[in-house]
Amino acid sequence: MAGAIAMRSLFAPPNLGPTSSTGSHVPRRGRRSLVRIRAAIAVEQETQAKVSLIRIGTRGSPLALAQAYETRDKLKAAHSELAEEGAIEIIIIKTTGDKILNQPLADIGGKGLFTKEIDEALLEGRIDIAVHSMKDVPTYLPEGTVLPCNLPREDVRDAFISLNAKSLSELPAGSLVGSASLRRQSQILYRYPSLKVVNFRGNVQTRLKKLHEGEVQATLLALAGLKRLNMTDTVTAILPIEDMLPAIAQGAIGIACRSNDDKMADYLSSLNHEETRLAVTCERAFLATLDGSCRTPIAGYAFKSSDGNCLFRGLVASPDGTRVLETSRTGPYSLDEMVEMGKDAGKELLSRAGPGFFDW
């Protein structure tokens, strides 16, 4: 038996080192390279594992990215495992609304154009959460998604920007004011019928560039966006809410996830600002009751008063500003009561507007 073992040892093939995937032997000089390759693959696989923790879907404009970065930073601050490098990935998704910039939103399908492709990516599992400007989110959510989180709301007011006037009242008759918002258009024309409002789309930087090139004499932008972009130095004046009621949910960021994704829902619950969520819910109940679209000038704002109650103001108008209807409500700052306030205010304005008012 010992001789047999000795014979097998004698005629065994020499030890040529590790073999490649094809079964051939790797020369000694290639062993170090092979080790380095395997180490690199291991590092890459580890990085990919970290990236997959949370994938944030967002539009690609500077403002949308600023909002995604704010979400990312809050998640990192709240959860140590997300603070590791590569744990959160931001995925840019181009929406139909981003691609078509030469037509009013009302002519190409309304606000859902800024969320549709992102919602599809969420439902298909290509992203884990979606960050939206709440004023772009339709009053209905796609089946299979929920929106459990609103970040603390920014300033809801609109900013007036002009190179040659300090306010709307100082603009000469016939001056062009650039705005893609029928809400802003109707309220401008209601107070200053001698001005002209023209369609003015694009991101913040694009609109300011057009203003400086002389396409218009003034424009209005959401102050919240300018603050998030650190561009408040461009503001000529801030319009009081009494003169320019904001859009529904203006200044609020909403974060959606799949309805069956408990892990993401738990992450988002840690970021939710309940006061903002309730205010936005009240305003969206008002909008849903009016069945509003981008063809209808609608404005609304709910906030907590000094005594802790909810104050809500709502408005509907004709696009030319010749007819403006307003209402207000006061009540407890709680979900059911605030939803009812929004609905009741909407029903009142529907009744006062009469048939045909919303058929623009």
Side-chain angles (χ1 to χ4, degrees):
M1 185 66 181
I5 293 174
M7 289 292 291
R8 280 200 295 271
S9 299
L10 181 63
F11 291 103
N15 182 10
L16 298 177
T19 58
S20 71
S21 59
T22 61
S24 60
H25 291 283
V26 179
R28 291 180 184 275
R29 62 179 178 272
R31 292 181 194 175
R32 293 180 180 175
S33 297
L34 187 61
V35 169
R36 285 197 294 270
I37 291 170
R38 286 174 176 169
I41 291 172
V43 170
E44 183 178 352
Q45 289 173 339
E46 183 181 355
T47 301
Q48 289 174 346
K50 289 180 181 178
V51 167
S52 67
L53 286 178
I54 296 185
R55 296 162 299 169
I56 299 176
T58 176
R59 294 168 59 200
S61 72
L63 177 56
L65 287 172
Q67 295 177 163
Y69 295 147
E70 181 179 343
T71 301
R72 178 199 62 189
D73 293 345
K74 287 181 180 295
L75 284 168
K76 285 184 173 184
H79 303 278
S80 58
E81 71 273 22
L82 300 180
E84 296 182 21
E85 185 177 355
I88 300 177
E89 181 183 7
I90 292 178
I91 297 175
I92 295 174
I93 299 169
K94 197 158 191 175
T95 67
T96 303
D98 296 315
K99 298 172 187 174
I100 305 174
L101 297 174
N102 59 349
Q103 299 178 51
L105 289 174
D107 293 348
I108 54 176
K111 289 185 180 180
L113 292 170
F114 289 116
T115 58
K116 180 175 177 290
E117 286 82 0
I118 299 175
D119 290 334
E120 289 172 350
L122 183 61
L123 288 169
E124 292 169 5
R126 290 184 279 125
I127 59 174
D128 301 303
I129 62 175
V131 178
H132 298 297
S133 291
M134 279 303 301
K135 68 177 182 178
D136 291 334
V137 178
T139 52
Y140 59 88
L141 295 176
E143 186 175 352
T145 70
V146 291
L147 208 158
C149 175
N150 288 120
L151 300 185
R153 196 173 198 173
E154 240 315 343
D155 198 316
V156 302
R157 294 173 295 174
D158 282 312
F160 171 78
I161 305 174
S162 177
L163 303 180
N164 44 31
K166 294 181 179 179
S167 65
L168 283 166
S169 62
E170 287 191 10
L171 288 171
S175 295
L176 299 181
V177 180
S179 177
S181 164
L182 291 181
R183 170 191 66 86
R184 291 181 179 127
Q185 172 182 305
S186 63
Q187 293 184 80
I188 290 171
L189 295 178
Y190 175 66
R191 289 177 173 79
Y192 308 101
S194 65
L195 300 178
K196 295 182 180 179
V197 182
V198 295
N199 186 49
F200 205 58
R201 291 197 53 212
N203 62 37
V204 171
Q205 290 79 1
T206 300
R207 296 187 211 186
L208 292 177
K209 181 173 180 287
K210 291 179 179 180
L211 173 68
H212 282 269
E213 290 173 348
E215 289 190 25
V216 295
Q217 282 71 61
T219 189
L220 270 60
L221 294 172
L223 182 58
L226 294 171
K227 284 189 171 186
R228 289 183 176 125
L229 290 169
N230 294 315
M231 295 178 63
T232 53
D233 58 325
T234 63
V235 175
T236 305
I238 298 173
L239 301 181
I241 290 173
E242 293 72 26
D243 293 345
M244 182 62 63
L245 198 62
I248 301 299
Q250 183 157 307
I253 296 172
I255 312 173
C257 65
R258 289 180 292 276
S259 55
N260 61 355
D261 194 336
D262 293 339
K263 184 177 181 180
M264 291 302 126
D266 287 342
Y267 278 136
L268 296 183
S269 67
S270 67
L271 303 189
N272 180 55
H273 187 251
E274 190 64 4
E275 182 177 327
T276 297
R277 189 182 75 87
L278 293 180
V280 167
T281 301
C282 176
E283 294 166 21
R284 284 166 61 82
F286 172 72
L287 181 65
T289 301
L290 292 169
D291 195 24
S293 71
C294 283
R295 292 185 181 275
T296 309
I298 297 174
Y301 178 43
F303 65 98
K304 183 179 283 189
S305 63
S306 57
D307 61 5
N309 283 324
C310 173
L311 296 182
F312 172 77
R313 285 186 58 203
L315 172 154
V316 296
S318 59
D320 61 5
T322 56
R323 196 174 177 204
V324 174
L325 303 175
E326 297 185 66
T327 189
S328 62
R329 294 289 187 280
T330 304
Y333 208 96
S334 58
L335 179 62
D336 291 343
E337 286 79 5
M338 291 172 70
V339 168
E340 190 55 40
M341 274 192 280
K343 288 181 177 179
D344 190 61
K347 290 174 183 176
E348 178 198 328
L349 293 187
L350 277 175
S351 176
R352 287 170 55 191
F357 184 84
F358 296 93
D359 298 336
W360 302 106

